[in-house]
Amino acid sequence: MIAVVYSGSNHADWRLSDKGRTVSSFRTNGINPYFIDEKHIVQLLNKNINLIHHAEELKRIYFFGAGSSSTELQAIVHNALASFFKFAKITVSHDIEGAAIACCKNTPGIIGICGSGSNAAWYDGRKVKPNNYGLGYILADEGSGNWLGRELIKGFMNETLPEHLRKKFVHKYEADRKTLLEKVYRQKQTALYLSAFSEFYIENAGDEYLKSVIKRGFNLLINTYLLPLHKQHPQAPLYFEGSVAFAFQDYLQEATAEAGLTIAGIIKEPINNLLTYYSNKN
């Protein structure tokens, strides 16, 4: 039996499969080693009845996660999984590696992630090539859910948010300046808090002000990451993965077209493509 896991910061999608048949499909809280340590990952695993039931049957686990970008961070996840799944061979990789496999399989391409966070990379058909991107929710994540959250809160605080949106914001979140600042600067996992505000954009899709914010974020993502990659690999197809890219794909198509790029495909969640890929390998 194998397990394929794709984790963002908010949640992790799991698929358990035996001889090509899906045994279990479920979601847990996200497993990001920037935000939770080995102990808390094990606690999360121990709370899921599916994992408890199949722990000893799993022989191979393919984990792809946000934050699993270095050997040290990958070791946190690997050690937690290994202590729980005692008979499994475990592979831990960055989420963009999983997105690349889900979109491209074994062919080269440029991958853009735009969900709760954002990132981009060149995939040669076997491995994602290292770059200087992926600086996280404080220094980067342009166009992502937490970037959109920051822009929404700043617009509310600075009173540049149009009045009709300001009223909706207050009604939905019952928020004031003090509460927002405390949640942004004092609580743990600020990135998760900020990315949750993408729901406001979805609920008010079509609003011209919010559309301009979304497109500004996409333009930053495209200009900062994707155009340099496209310049290096002009013939490579461009794929996007992530909840924000999927929810606002019409705006993303507009922004990429204006930049002279063509999108080959957009997927919301790579987990099912990854399951198919690894089920065929085992």
Side-chain angles (χ1 to χ4, degrees):
M1 183 181 292
I2 68 168
V4 180
V5 191
Y6 189 86
S7 179
S9 296
N10 288 320
H11 60 259
D13 287 314
W14 294 71
R15 298 291 185 272
L16 310 186
S17 176
D18 188 28
K19 298 177 181 177
R21 180 179 64 87
T22 301
V23 174
S24 188
S25 173
F26 55 94
R27 176 172 284 183
T28 66
N29 289 338
I31 299 174
N32 185 330
Y34 268 113
F35 301 141
I36 57 176
D37 58 19
E38 185 179 326
K39 175 184 175 182
H40 286 92
I41 295 172
V42 173
Q43 289 176 349
L44 182 153
L45 300 174
N46 272 303
K47 291 178 180 177
N48 189 279
I49 190 64
N50 295 288
L51 297 179
I52 294 170
H53 182 68
H54 295 291
E56 295 185 359
E57 300 173 64
L58 285 165
K59 298 298 183 284
R60 190 74 199 241
I61 298 173
Y62 302 93
F63 178 95
F64 301 91
S68 295
S69 55
S70 68
T71 302
E72 294 78 13
L73 291 166
Q74 289 168 1
I76 293 172
V77 178
H78 184 279
N79 292 342
L81 294 176
S83 70
F84 189 86
F85 303 104
K86 299 186 184 299
F87 305 106
K89 185 176 180 181
I90 299 163
T91 303
V92 177
S93 302
H94 200 216
D95 60 343
I96 201 161
E97 193 93 31
I101 293 170
C103 290
C104 302
K105 299 182 177 63
N106 298 315
T107 60
I110 296 170
I111 306 300
I113 287 182
C114 194
S116 56
S118 67
N119 203 345
W122 159 248
Y123 176 67
D124 69 0
R126 293 182 301 149
K127 295 290 292 182
V128 165
K129 295 303 180 180
N131 58 44
N132 295 322
Y133 306 152
L135 300 178
Y137 76 98
I138 293 177
L139 298 178
D141 275 357
E142 293 87 347
S144 70
N146 75 65
W147 185 91
L148 292 174
R150 291 203 306 269
E151 294 303 301
L152 185 65
I153 290 174
K154 284 194 293 185
F156 176 77
M157 297 283 208
N158 297 333
E159 299 184 355
T160 56
L161 196 65
E163 186 59 26
H164 69 284
L165 292 174
R166 184 179 179 83
K167 288 179 179 178
K168 289 183 178 182
F169 184 88
V170 172
H171 177 74
K172 180 174 177 63
Y173 298 108
E174 298 181 352
D176 55 32
R177 183 182 181 87
K178 179 183 177 183
T179 302
L180 289 168
L181 288 173
E182 285 182 351
K183 288 188 174 182
V184 168
Y185 289 106
R186 290 190 175 181
Q187 74 169 17
K188 295 180 180 179
Q189 301 190 4
T190 301
L192 304 187
Y193 173 70
L194 292 171
S195 65
F197 286 99
S198 59
E199 182 180 304
F200 187 85
Y201 289 83
I202 293 172
E203 290 176 353
N204 295 280
D207 183 273
E208 287 301 317
Y209 175 87
L210 295 181
K211 178 180 178 179
S212 70
V213 175
I214 296 166
K215 283 197 67 177
R216 179 157 51 87
F218 285 159
N219 287 334
L220 286 170
L221 175 64
I222 291 164
N223 292 328
T224 306
Y225 308 130
L226 298 173
L227 285 179
L229 289 171
H230 176 72
K231 186 176 181 180
Q232 295 172 31
H233 310 281
Q235 302 305 316
L238 169 63
Y239 295 90
F240 277 93
E241 178 276 325
S243 57
V244 173
F246 188 83
F248 304 112
Q249 55 187 286
D250 290 346
Y251 302 163
L252 183 58
Q253 294 277 10
E254 286 181 31
T256 50
E258 289 167 5
L261 303 177
T262 302
I263 299 175
I266 301 173
I267 60 173
K268 182 179 181 181
E269 298 166 345
I271 187 64
N272 291 325
N273 290 10
L274 288 170
L275 177 62
T276 300
Y277 181 84
Y278 284 107
S279 293
N280 291 334
K281 290 187 69 171
N282 287 272

